Amino acid sequence: MSRTNHTTADDPANGDAPMNGDTTNDAATDADTTDAAENRDRTIHASYAFGVRIREEAAGDGDPVYRFEAPNHEGIAFDDPEAAELYADVYFDVNGFQEAGTGDRGVPPAIIQAGRDTLVGYLLTQPETGRNWVASYYGEKPEKIDRYVARVRKRARLIRERAAERGVAESEG
């Protein structure tokens, strides 16, 4: 699995932020122009309901990073898109969570309370934690870990589908 970079977002998503990455307006200020220039190096990798998105950004070394952003979430960057997408699935599976205050190795209470499959999905998004490590930790075969992750992804997909049925469209980016 991928590794994460637990840094806060430069511009965490909030309910007031435009979802398309365009931060300019008719009365653009110097700060707005600077924000627009910075956003040229970012693209929307995935956009979900409720203002949740994954942005692809250029890292300092030129490799892309995938930043998960959601309202009331500090944001987190991943080295590969699959880990960022799994993180988004875990986020939807537990109806959102905040990592702030859990420490470097802590797990948000919402994740713990959600059950083993959700915790497995979350652990797979953490640095230095891969499928075989999680399987060993739980005393399970890697195939069972895959089944846990599939359950989380399925529940997250169903949550997003139901939101769309109720008129909560995916954000446009």
Side-chain angles (χ1 to χ4, degrees):
M1 245 340 170
S2 99
R3 305 297 175 244
T4 59
N5 177 2
H6 288 265
T7 58
T8 58
D10 294 333
D11 62 336
N14 64 41
D16 300 328
M19 298 310 294
N20 64 3
D22 182 25
T23 58
T24 61
N25 60 32
D26 291 5
T29 64
D30 289 338
D32 290 336
T33 304
T34 301
D35 287 345
E38 289 174 2
N39 281 338
R40 276 186 239 131
D41 293 335
R42 303 175 187 176
T43 60
I44 301 295
H45 171 77
S47 186
Y48 305 100
F50 307 111
V52 176
R53 64 186 172 204
I54 299 170
R55 288 186 181 270
E56 182 178 340
E57 301 176 353
D61 61 3
D63 290 335
V65 293
Y66 299 87
R67 181 170 301 282
F68 171 87
E69 299 175 342
N72 303 314
H73 190 283
E74 66 183 4
I76 185 170
F78 298 87
D79 292 338
D80 79 64
E82 184 179 324
E85 292 163 6
L86 178 56
Y87 190 90
D89 289 341
V90 169
Y91 186 85
F92 277 98
D93 189 29
V94 298
N95 196 25
F97 63 90
Q98 180 60 260
E99 286 185 294
T102 59
D104 289 338
R105 295 177 50 122
V107 176
I111 303 293
I112 299 291
Q113 295 169 352
R116 181 178 284 195
D117 52 357
T118 304
L119 180 56
V120 163
Y122 178 80
L123 289 174
L124 287 171
T125 68
Q126 300 305 296
E128 309 303 319
T129 305
R131 177 177 173 245
N132 290 329
W133 184 92
V134 173
S136 176
Y137 178 80
Y138 279 110
E140 302 287 358
K141 294 183 179 184
E143 294 78 19
K144 188 158 190 177
I145 300 306
D146 295 340
R147 288 193 298 273
Y148 285 149
V149 170
R151 288 183 207 157
V152 170
R153 290 189 181 277
K154 180 179 180 180
R155 284 194 305 266
R157 182 178 40 80
L158 290 173
I159 290 166
R160 292 188 293 257
E161 286 173 2
R162 289 181 187 136
E165 289 170 2
R166 290 182 173 100
V168 180
E170 292 182 357
S171 308
E172 294 184 16

